[in-house]
Amino acid sequence: MAGSRRFALGAQPDVEQILLEAQHRWLHPPEICELLLRNYNQIRICPQPPNLPPSGSVFLFDRKVVRNFRNDGHKWRKKKNGKTLKESHEKLKVGSVNELQCYYAHGEDNENFQRRSYWMLQEEFSNIVLVHYRDVKPQKVPNFQPQEYMEKCDLDKP
């Protein structure tokens, strides 16, 4: 499975492959930390934010240079005050150590469209930001019918 791939220590990750996979899934914290942010010299750092980036897009910014990297043209859900964005903030672990700061934003018009912004907690790498856009459709869960379950398992018989 692509989502559960592990890299051996010292193995050079295939950055292009990870970027291809990012079109269809969220990247895992070790991928973000080791493959993209610490190897940001292999990926072009954007000089300005994109306008309406599509799902699957990944961008790197130097947030000391491009302070408005969040101004991407999309409408994001706002707090009740109607002024500031409603963003969730999390620290993500790699192994057992907090390595990444992550901000999540959800689309205002399409709640399935999301933006995640990641940066390293280590001071020397904290200026590099990875921004990932995804349209996550809710997966259809089959309707659970307790009666069918009971018949299949013979639970209604004494």
Side-chain angles (χ1 to χ4, degrees):
M1 286 170 72
S4 63
R5 181 175 43 191
R6 301 286 184 246
F7 296 96
L9 290 175
Q12 186 64 14
D14 184 359
V15 175
E16 288 183 27
Q17 180 63 33
I18 296 300
L19 291 174
L20 280 173
E21 291 179 14
Q23 294 176 5
H24 307 288
R25 66 173 177 89
W26 292 115
L27 297 176
H28 300 290
E31 292 173 320
I32 296 163
C33 185
E34 293 296 329
L35 308 180
L36 299 177
L37 296 180
R38 289 190 180 151
N39 294 315
Y40 67 89
N41 56 354
Q42 296 180 28
I43 303 170
R44 188 177 144 262
I45 294 182
C46 296
Q48 61 188 22
N51 187 33
L52 300 172
S55 177
S57 300
V58 175
F59 299 94
L60 284 182
F61 299 100
D62 184 335
R63 63 185 184 148
K64 291 182 180 177
V65 175
V66 185
R67 295 196 177 272
N68 63 341
F69 66 90
R70 290 186 182 117
N71 295 345
D72 53 21
H74 286 291
K75 291 182 180 179
W76 301 104
R77 196 178 303 160
K78 295 192 179 345
K79 291 183 179 179
K80 290 181 181 179
N81 67 15
K83 296 179 183 178
T84 55
L85 288 184
K86 184 176 181 180
E87 287 185 312
S88 300
H89 305 250
E90 269 187 50
K91 289 185 180 176
L92 303 177
K93 292 186 177 191
V94 176
S96 60
V97 179
N98 283 336
E99 290 277 348
L100 295 167
Q101 180 71 42
C102 180
Y103 284 26
Y104 301 85
H106 295 265
E108 188 174 82
D109 299 328
N110 177 3
E111 66 184 32
N112 294 322
F113 192 71
Q114 298 178 14
R115 176 184 68 198
R116 294 184 183 183
S117 303
Y118 305 92
W119 59 85
M120 300 286 291
L121 292 173
Q122 281 182 298
E123 190 63 34
E124 63 203 70
F125 298 110
S126 66
N127 62 313
I128 304 299
V129 179
L130 182 141
V131 181
H132 190 183
Y133 298 88
R134 291 261 305 135
D135 191 357
V136 291
K137 308 243 186 300
Q139 295 189 3
K140 292 185 178 182
V141 179
N143 291 336
F144 177 71
Q145 300 294 331
Q147 186 62 34
E148 290 178 15
Y149 176 77
M150 291 174 64
E151 289 172 1
K152 289 179 183 176
C153 297
D154 294 326
L155 294 177
D156 57 343
K157 296 179 182 175

